[in-house]
Amino acid sequence: MHGEYKVPGGKLVVVDLDVRDGVLRDVRVAGDFFLEPDEAVLAIDAALEGAPSSTDAAGLAARITAALPDSVVMLGLTAEGVGTAVRRALAHATEWSDFDWQLVHVEPQAPALHMALDEVLTAEVAAGRRAPTLRVWEWASPAVVIGSFQSLRNEVDPDGAARHGMTVVRRVSGGGAMFVEPMSTITYSLSVPDSLVSGLTFADSYAYLDDWVLEALADLGVRAWYQPLNDIATDAGKIAGAAQKRMVGPDGGPGAVLHHVTMSYDIDADKMLEVLRIGREKLSGKGTGSAAKRVDPLRRQTGLAREQVIDHMIASFRDRYGLATGRITPDELARAQELVRTKFATEEWTARVP
């Protein structure tokens, strides 16, 4: 069995192993990490040898930590990362490079249609009719996008939204509200087979699916990191938030994961405060007394035009994993438009949590 895991902010860990009589055998850990002294890698292998195959990543990490003296130095490697790579091997997880990735980056769409396209395209990946897809959004109009479980009245000031021409829509994933203005927001979705995140906890899958964009931002001089559970942050503040939805496949078979991220390229903080009801408790929990200070836009940090940032992100993904230009098929568009009519543009859905 073979498993790989890129440690967030670190290096690739590769594990090869067998399972015999319910325990790990012939464990070999490798990768592009740094480890001193050299023989520590053999100690890691030995710590994992004979572990029950049911041991979770935390339990495997504990075995590694207990076997290593304090003098061991790990750079780009963690005991938890090794444990996760083992779990991915046992789960027969796929890797980014196993797929022929497709890019969808088309003309601006209405907010409700974006919600529907996320659902339709991810369902198509789950059904095996669509290749794993990176979809970069273009917005036809400003919007507030609330999470699947958020209260509409608690999150949105209807007078402020109406005054600024903001459409309010609800997405299928959880998480917090997104304040969107077309030229001030960068949004993308990943629709991927669930095998890509096999062996990862739900929380770890966020960091794993965000890692490529952190590297793309680093190329632009932005030092960003994943901040649990679902933020991308920098020294200057939060720049993005992520959300996920898991979808089962046909007849309950293997499914797919929708992972979408909204990044603040620029932001009108005063307008945002007029539209969103951002409570004092939420602000204090983030360690700041001002909503305007919670987000530091990419325009300020990069000095680049929005289109340049997007082009770099796409090129970075393509360089790492390959990326062919794709499209939304007529059937997918028709199904998405029907979902807009029956679900995403309806008061019943938008106010399902009043």
Side-chain angles (χ1 to χ4, degrees):
M1 300 176 187
H2 179 87
E4 299 184 5
Y5 179 62
K6 170 71 164 51
V7 176
K11 297 294 186 176
L12 182 69
V13 182
V14 181
V15 176
D16 291 285
L17 56 84
D18 287 324
V19 174
R20 295 194 293 273
D21 298 324
V23 299
L24 308 187
R25 294 299 183 194
D26 302 327
V27 181
R28 294 293 179 267
V29 175
D32 61 355
F33 49 79
F34 301 92
L35 183 64
E36 294 289 347
D38 286 356
E39 55 268 23
V41 72
L42 300 179
I44 293 173
D45 293 343
L48 295 171
E49 192 75 19
S53 60
S54 59
T55 309
D56 63 15
L60 295 168
R63 290 175 69 104
I64 294 168
T65 300
L68 297 179
D70 293 340
S71 58
V72 168
V73 177
M74 293 182 176
L75 294 175
L77 174 70
T78 64
E80 293 77 11
V82 176
T84 299
V86 171
R87 293 309 314 169
R88 285 177 59 75
L90 294 169
H92 301 285
T94 54
E95 309 299 332
W96 295 84
S97 58
D98 291 335
F99 301 109
D100 295 322
W101 290 90
Q102 185 173 108
L103 170 69
V104 172
H105 187 195
V106 298
E107 67 277 0
Q109 307 288 349
L113 186 58
H114 276 307
M115 306 302 107
L117 284 170
D118 261 0
E119 181 169 325
V120 169
L121 298 188
T122 306
E124 288 296 281
V125 171
R129 293 188 292 264
R130 164 173 282 277
T133 298
L134 167 65
R135 183 169 75 91
V136 179
W137 303 21
E138 297 294 345
W139 296 86
S141 61
V144 173
V145 183
I146 60 175
S148 181
F149 309 107
Q150 287 189 296
S151 162
L152 177 61
R153 69 167 67 99
N154 288 347
E155 298 299 325
V156 183
D157 183 319
D159 294 333
R163 185 164 60 251
H164 294 293
M166 312 286 289
T167 301
V168 181
V169 292
R170 185 184 295 274
R171 62 181 183 269
V172 295
S173 61
M178 299 158 42
F179 175 82
V180 173
E181 292 187 285
M183 300 311 296
S184 297
T185 305
I186 297 173
T187 307
Y188 66 86
S189 301
L190 287 169
S191 296
V192 304
D194 57 11
S195 62
L196 185 62
V197 296
S198 293
L200 300 179
T201 65
F202 193 90
D204 285 344
S205 71
Y206 275 84
Y208 185 70
L209 294 176
D210 282 340
D211 192 66
W212 72 274
V213 80
L214 300 185
E215 295 187 14
L217 291 171
D219 294 341
L220 296 176
V222 178
R223 192 180 77 87
W225 60 86
Y226 164 74
Q227 183 169 292
L229 169 66
N230 63 330
D231 289 346
I232 297 174
T234 70
D235 290 328
K238 173 182 171 179
I239 58 172
Q244 286 187 7
K245 177 68 176 178
R246 307 297 173 101
M247 298 185 183
V248 299
D251 301 320
V257 178
L258 167 65
H259 179 92
H260 41 203
V261 174
T262 292
M263 312 180 78
S264 290
Y265 170 74
D266 202 355
I267 195 163
D268 185 332
D270 292 334
K271 185 185 294 185
M272 181 180 72
L273 289 172
E274 292 180 20
V275 174
L276 297 183
R277 300 187 192 276
I278 300 177
R280 293 181 180 271
E281 182 177 348
K282 184 172 184 178
L283 291 177
S284 63
K286 296 292 184 178
T288 178
S290 168
K293 295 178 181 178
R294 290 184 57 216
V295 179
D296 191 78
L298 284 172
R299 181 182 63 81
R300 183 182 305 119
Q301 295 201 43
T302 65
L304 299 174
R306 174 180 176 273
E307 293 75 14
Q308 290 176 293
V309 176
I310 291 174
D311 288 347
H312 175 77
M313 289 169 55
I314 291 172
S316 182
F317 192 103
R318 181 177 287 115
D319 288 345
R320 287 173 172 83
Y321 309 122
L323 189 62
T325 300
R327 66 187 183 98
I328 301 168
T329 69
D331 178 66
E332 289 168 340
L333 181 59
R335 288 165 54 199
Q337 290 170 334
E338 179 65 9
L339 272 179
V340 170
R341 186 185 70 81
T342 60
K343 179 177 180 179
F344 290 106
T346 67
E347 182 69 15
E348 180 182 12
W349 170 257
T350 304
R352 76 184 187 104
V353 183

